[in-house]
Amino acid sequence: MKIPNDPFIGTHYIGHEERQAVKKVLKSKSLFRYQGPNLLYKTDEFELNMQKYLNVKYVLACANGGSAIKLCCIANGIGPNDEVLMSPFTFIASASSVLACGAVPKFVDIDETMNIDPNAIEKNIGPNTKAILAIHMQGQPCDMSKIMKIAKKHNLIVIEDAAQAFGAEINGKKVGTIGDCGAFSLQAGKTITSGEGGFLATNNKRIYEIAKMYHDNGGFRNGCDYPTWENKETIFGENFKITELQSAIANEQLKKINLILQHQKNNYDYIINKIDKKFYNIRPSVDNSKLVYSNISLEFNSSDECNKFITFMNNNGIGFHIYCSNLINQFDTFKYQQSWHNSHFPYNISKYQETNCSKAESLFKRVAWFNLSASLKKKHLKYIVQKLEEYKNEF
Ligand SMILES: Cc1ncc(COP(=O)(O)O)c(C=O)c1O
C-alpha cells in the first residue's frame, strides 16, 4: 500500500459548497473586495464570520500568511534596529516578513514541544528586542501563559504566527488571539484554505486600523469609498488585499472547520491509541492545549534511529520524513546575511546575531513526521498501525 506524504488538509474538503460560492462571485462580476457591479461583500462576510469563530474584535483578510505577519509587525511599529525573538523551526516566511520590515529575527531554541522554549526567551532578550513571534508549529500551541508573562515583564510585543495551527486552543482561547495580534494563512496546506490568502486577528483597534491602511496601499478607506491619502493619519503601504473569490472559498471552508478538526483528531486518536507509547515517543504538548492534529511526530534517541525508522516506513510506502531540509537559521540567507539590495538592507541597520539553538538542531534530525491527510481511510490507518507494530517488533 502507498500512503504518501500529503500535507493538504482543507484542500480535501473543497466540494459543492465552494464551487457554488465561486460561481456566484463570478456571476456577480465583482471580484474586487471594495467595488463591482454587483458586489457580494464576501470578504466582509469572511472577516465577520472569522471574528465570531475566533472570538476576537477585529479580523483583516489579506493576501497570504506572510503578509499577515508583516502587517502584524508594521501595526506594532516593528522596524529598523529591532529584533524579534522566534524559533528557527518554522517556514522561512516567519523570518522574512520580519526582515522585510527592516528588523531582524533572533533565533531562540525550542523545547520538546518543538515550539519556542519560554526558558530560553529571557536569556536572549537584549537592548534591541522588541517582540516575540510565537510560532505555533504543526498544530501545536506554544506555551502562551509563560510567553505572555515574560513579555509583560520585559515590555515586549507578542505576535502569534498561527499559520500552521488555525483552530488550536490553549486555556480555552484560540491561538492567534492571545498576544497583541495573530497572523494566519489560507495557503493550500492549512486547516482551511483558499489556495492562497491570509488574515490578521487582534483585539486592538489601533493595530487593526494601521494594518488595514498598510494593506490598502497606505490609504484611508471609509467603507467602500475610494481610499484617500490626504489624511494626516495615512502612511505608505502595499497592496495586500484578498480577492472576493478567495474569501468566498474561505467562507465555505470555515463552515466546515469543526468537521475538519474532528476528522483530524479521529485519525490521530486511531493511530496513537493503538501504538506502544513506551516504544514510540510522541511529541508532548503544553497543558490545557487543544491541538490541530495535522500530523504524527515521533521522537527517536538518535538521528540514525530516526533515519532507520523512516527508511522502514518509506520501504512500506508510508511517507514518514524529516520535517524539511534544514532549520531556517542554517539557511545561507542568514549565514551570509544576504539581501536583494547591495547595502545589505536590513542587516546594515539591524544587527543580526547568531545564537545557539542546539536543542532544535538535535531534535530536528531525530523527529519523524507524518502528515495526517484528510483523505486517509480506515484501511490506511490500520496499515500504518500494523507497520508501526512491525517496526517495533523488528527493532
Ligand atoms: C509557520 C508559517 N508561517 C507563515 C507562513 C506563510 O504563509 P503563506 O504561505 O500564506 O504566506 C507559513 C506557510 O506555510 C507557515 O507555515
Side-chain angles (χ1 to χ4, degrees):
M1 195 179 293
K2 203 152 174 54
I3 311 179
N5 171 34
D6 172 359
F8 307 110
I9 305 178
T11 302
H12 285 283
Y13 291 86
I14 293 173
H16 177 73
E17 300 80 7
E18 284 81 355
R19 283 196 292 279
Q20 287 304 108
V22 167
K23 271 189 200 163
K24 278 187 192 160
V25 174
L26 287 175
K27 207 170 163 198
S28 76
K29 299 189 176 173
S30 308
L31 277 53
F32 173 53
R33 80 165 286 184
Y34 294 128
Q35 285 162 335
N38 186 20
L39 189 57
L40 299 178
Y41 298 96
K42 284 290 157 190
T43 306
D44 287 22
E45 192 182 322
F46 172 68
E47 288 174 343
L48 211 67
N49 289 339
M50 191 52 81
Q51 272 169 37
K52 283 188 200 139
Y53 177 74
L54 291 174
N55 193 20
V56 77
K57 284 191 186 149
Y58 307 98
V59 166
L60 175 74
C62 61
N64 49 52
S67 58
I69 299 171
K70 188 172 181 187
L71 290 169
C72 286
C73 291
I74 281 164
N76 279 288
I78 294 168
N81 282 317
D82 295 334
E83 201 176 68
V84 178
L85 305 183
M86 69 176 74
S87 150
F89 177 59
T90 183
F91 180 58
I92 188 75
S94 308
S96 42
S97 305
V98 166
L99 287 160
C101 299
V104 282
K106 186 173 187 188
F107 295 111
V108 175
D109 217 347
I110 60 175
D111 59 22
E112 264 76 19
T113 67
M114 306 284 291
N115 282 330
I116 196 164
D117 179 357
N119 297 318
I121 291 178
E122 251 180 328
K123 292 181 200 139
N124 278 286
I125 296 173
N128 295 333
T129 307
K130 182 121 177 203
I132 302 167
L133 181 66
I135 310 165
H136 306 288
M137 278 301 278
Q138 291 285 294
Q140 172 105 256
C142 294
D143 192 338
M144 289 310 291
S145 315
K146 284 192 186 158
I147 291 174
M148 294 308 287
K149 262 191 209 141
I150 296 167
K152 198 166 174 206
K153 183 173 157 198
H154 296 274
N155 197 22
L156 299 175
I157 294 154
V158 177
I159 297 172
E160 292 174 77
D161 178 346
Q164 295 192 8
F166 172 64
E169 291 177 18
I170 185 154
N171 296 322
K173 277 189 139 187
K174 297 269 184 317
V175 301
T177 68
I178 303 161
D180 293 277
C181 57
F184 298 82
S185 166
L186 293 166
Q187 179 263 346
K190 305 302 187 281
T191 325
I192 63 167
T193 183
S194 49
E196 293 279 7
F199 54 98
L200 169 157
T202 183
N203 282 306
N204 183 319
K205 188 165 192 269
R206 177 97 189 122
I207 290 176
Y208 168 72
E209 294 293 352
I210 297 173
K212 190 172 157 217
M213 269 196 288
Y214 193 93
H215 114 296
D216 210 355
N217 289 307
F220 179 80
R221 196 186 276 273
N222 207 347
C224 295
D225 295 345
Y226 196 75
T228 172
W229 287 265
E230 285 163 48
N231 173 321
K232 68 176 185 328
E233 286 277 299
T234 60
I235 46 178
F236 73 85
E238 295 173 76
N239 178 5
F240 283 167
K241 292 193 289 297
I242 197 167
T243 68
E244 285 285 282
L245 281 168
Q246 289 164 294
S247 298
I249 299 169
N251 247 323
E252 295 309 316
Q253 289 261 296
L254 182 56
K255 289 179 194 160
K256 300 176 182 177
I257 182 68
N258 291 334
L259 181 81
I260 295 174
L261 293 177
Q262 192 57 50
H263 189 177
Q264 293 296 126
K265 184 169 176 357
N266 291 349
N267 285 348
Y268 180 87
D269 285 349
Y270 184 93
I271 297 172
I272 294 302
N273 289 338
K274 287 188 166 50
I275 64 174
D276 182 351
K277 262 83 82 191
K278 285 200 190 92
F279 182 80
Y280 287 112
N281 198 356
I282 301 154
R283 182 164 69 129
S285 49
V286 176
D287 286 349
N288 298 323
S289 53
K290 194 174 141 200
L291 278 59
V292 175
Y293 295 98
S294 53
N295 62 85
I296 285 179
S297 35
L298 303 171
E299 182 188 331
F300 293 85
N301 290 327
S302 69
S303 62
D304 283 353
E305 260 184 53
C306 185
N307 287 334
K308 197 160 84 177
F309 169 79
I310 289 174
T311 306
F312 176 90
M313 287 295 156
N314 291 174
N315 287 344
N316 284 286
I318 306 172
F320 270 94
H321 58 282
I322 294 289
Y323 184 75
C324 67
S325 66
N326 220 335
L327 292 166
I328 67 165
N329 61 335
Q330 306 289 330
F331 287 171
D332 284 351
T333 186
F334 297 110
K335 260 196 202 156
Y336 303 111
Q337 300 183 23
Q338 287 162 344
S339 165
W340 48 268
H341 195 259
N342 59 15
S343 68
H344 287 284
F345 173 85
Y347 300 105
N348 58 338
I349 302 168
S350 306
K351 198 171 168 322
Y352 173 74
Q353 266 177 277
E354 274 189 24
T355 46
N356 180 348
C357 295
S358 50
K359 183 120 196 180
E361 279 162 36
S362 163
L363 271 174
F364 189 70
K365 297 182 196 133
R366 292 189 288 112
V367 175
W369 299 81
F370 178 71
N371 291 311
L372 288 170
S373 165
S375 67
L376 291 174
K377 302 273 183 302
K378 203 52 158 286
K379 64 176 180 189
H380 300 125
L381 298 173
K382 268 188 181 168
Y383 179 72
I384 294 166
V385 169
Q386 183 198 326
K387 291 300 159 191
L388 285 165
E389 191 63 15
E390 262 178 43
Y391 180 81
K392 185 195 97 172
N393 294 334
E394 211 166 303
F395 300 99

